[in-house]
Amino acid sequence: ILLGELFRIPLGRYLDLNRSRLRTRSAWPDVISAVPELQPLCNLLSDTSWAERLPAVEGLWHVWDTLPQVESLLGTDHVAAWSSYAQVLDHWRDREPDGTLAHHRRLSEEEEYEADPLLSYHPRTESRVTITTLHQSKGLEFDVVFIADAVEGVFPDLRARDSLLGSRRLNPHLPSDTAGYTAFRLQEERRLAYTAMTRSTQRVVWTATASGFDEGRGIPSRFLPLVVGVASVGEAASHPGYRTTPVTPLEIEASLRRTMEDPSQHVVSRLTALDVLGANQGQLRDPDLYFGVRDRGSDRGVIDGRVSLTPSQADLYETCPRRYALERRLKVGDDESVHASFGSLIHDVLEQAEAEAKEAGMMRSTLDDAVTILDLRFDPGLFGGDPFAEAWRRRGVQALENLYSDWPGGGAALALEHPLEVDVEGTWRGRADRIEHRLGGMAIVDYKTSKMAMAVEKAKSSIQLGFYVLAGERDPALSEHGPVTAAELWYPLAKRKSSIIVREFDLDSLPDIKQRMAAVAKGIHSEAWPPQPGGHCSHCRVRSSCPAWPEGQEAFHR
């Protein structure tokens, strides 16, 4: 509160006051009593009977009348917030006539706390949408209820929400053990889901964010199979095999258009749909807002001059030039997934462990060294917090255990995270995770943290591995170690029997690799972005912007 809008104490002064409080073990009223502008606050804190004795809303206005600093809030949004809080306390007094401000503060720390327990009644004179919490929906009734963002970690939210002092353990009706309390929380969330669903008189729609599902984010809620009546989340998240009843005017129009244009429908049904569309078009949708389709614009202007190329860019460009332009150049859907964070973590751990071993004159680092570094570098916040973070940490330990139990390479590391560069119709750059000594030359290694290994034949002609060979042979810093005799992909999480899977590059395919790299470079620099539909489209994040698909062909405008 001292640093906030009321007092605006500078951070340095606040830290001095706090250090004085800790050094003298004094209470805050004693510390701030020597500061003239904080004297009213000191008086409030010295005698807190107003918080324990007065009704909550009166206690709040007592604070307003006591602190002269509140005048600085006049004319700002803070006054509206203060007034809103006062209204909440006034509503709450109807339910708790003897409730004090201290009582309400303790209540606000509990899991079932409702900041705005009552929704204002509005007569149904027109169609309207009510946006509310699941708790606030109790006792209300709607035609259609949308339960949004039903993903793990949001709904159900199984976080313990425990206070610093573990106050929940003082409630005898709550399980004290972690597993029991998690089960209790899950049961509470299920009751909340039931309450929300029973608010509807016609239809309930659950939504779950599909973006990032393949990357481990936005995992659909475990409640979805229970709602749909299927066995798995995958079945529940799939599109239904039947057409649902339209709810909105746009859905009605779409349903009528499908019927009208479907040759398999009876001619009477198609003519009826046409008649309804013609007679009610103005009611279904304002004709001034019809969506049109623009002509394809120019694809040029994405590249400004020549760009540095990478093997990963080449892989994506060969898969689909259009997706490459949208994702890599225009940064559409450009967000780092939890799998990418995990891969970076394992690469960093192995780099540090091997660098320390190399500096110490050791042939190779040990598993204990790598796990220690993993624990030091592991940030639970990047992996969704518990319990998801712990699962990702266990996956990291498993990858290291697999790798160190049957290390594929036999030579000492010559270089780690070594930058490489080669010119093939442009400048290509990349970094080799590991370059090690092998009989007769060098082997370049790239770590892969996925559980599925690349197909053998595809690895033999991998642009990434081919780039390593071409650039490694032309690197002056590596010339003294001989030619590049091997390029490999190591998969610590993909095992075959007792050993991890290794994929090797076929050196005879180098001429073809050069031609493919040249073709990719020319295509990018000439700004050729044709869409290339295929099986990869099913999990493409930019499909809604791709002209090869209906959803990407529409340009919405008046």
Side-chain angles (χ1 to χ4, degrees), residues 156-346:
D157 180 1
L158 302 182
R159 291 174 294 178
R161 299 180 182 274
D162 206 353
S163 67
L164 182 62
L165 300 178
S167 58
R168 73 170 172 87
R169 302 181 188 279
L170 301 179
N171 296 316
H173 70 285
L174 296 179
S176 58
D177 62 297
T178 302
Y181 187 67
T182 300
F184 167 78
R185 289 282 308 152
L186 180 59
Q187 189 63 29
E188 289 297 305
E189 294 285 282
R190 289 185 64 172
R191 291 195 187 98
L192 192 58
Y194 175 79
T195 299
M197 292 184 66
T198 54
R199 299 308 90 205
S200 171
T201 61
Q202 296 182 13
R203 187 180 180 189
V204 178
V205 180
W206 289 66
T207 69
T209 305
S211 176
F213 183 31
D214 293 333
E215 291 83 14
R217 296 177 293 106
I219 300 175
S221 170
R222 68 190 72 187
F223 290 161
L224 294 182
L226 301 178
V227 173
V228 182
V230 296
S232 67
V233 170
E235 292 181 75
S238 62
H239 293 289
Y242 56 90
R243 291 177 180 171
T244 57
T245 303
V247 174
T248 67
L250 287 180
E251 289 182 354
I252 295 173
E253 179 184 343
S255 177
L256 291 171
R257 288 185 180 279
R258 280 197 302 267
T259 301
M260 181 184 66
E261 297 174 1
D262 188 354
S264 64
Q265 294 286 335
H266 194 281
V267 64
V268 174
S269 299
R270 299 178 67 186
L271 290 174
T272 302
L274 177 61
D275 182 65
V276 173
L277 278 170
N280 299 278
Q281 189 65 71
Q283 298 178 22
L284 292 174
R285 186 155 46 123
D286 185 349
D288 292 337
L289 300 178
Y290 284 174
F291 298 147
V293 179
R294 289 176 174 159
D295 294 334
R296 278 277 297 275
S298 172
D299 287 341
R300 305 190 65 82
V302 177
I303 299 294
D304 184 13
R306 298 184 73 79
V307 298
S308 294
L309 305 170
T310 66
S312 62
Q313 290 184 32
D315 288 337
L316 183 55
Y317 186 87
E318 284 193 323
T319 300
C320 179
R322 195 75 180 185
R323 181 175 177 181
Y324 166 82
L326 291 170
E327 286 190 354
R328 291 298 179 91
R329 292 292 140 201
L330 300 179
K331 306 300 182 183
V332 177
D334 181 39
D335 55 344
E336 185 173 3
S337 71
V338 67
H339 284 275
S341 298
F342 177 75
S344 298
L345 172 65
I346 298 301

Side-chain angles (χ1 to χ4, degrees), residues 40 65 99 133 153 174 187 246 254 268 314 333 376 381 445 468 498 515 531 537 542:
D65 293 335
T133 66
L174 296 179
Q187 189 63 29
V268 174
L376 290 174
V445 174
Y468 288 150
S498 60
Q515 292 181 6
C537 294
V542 295

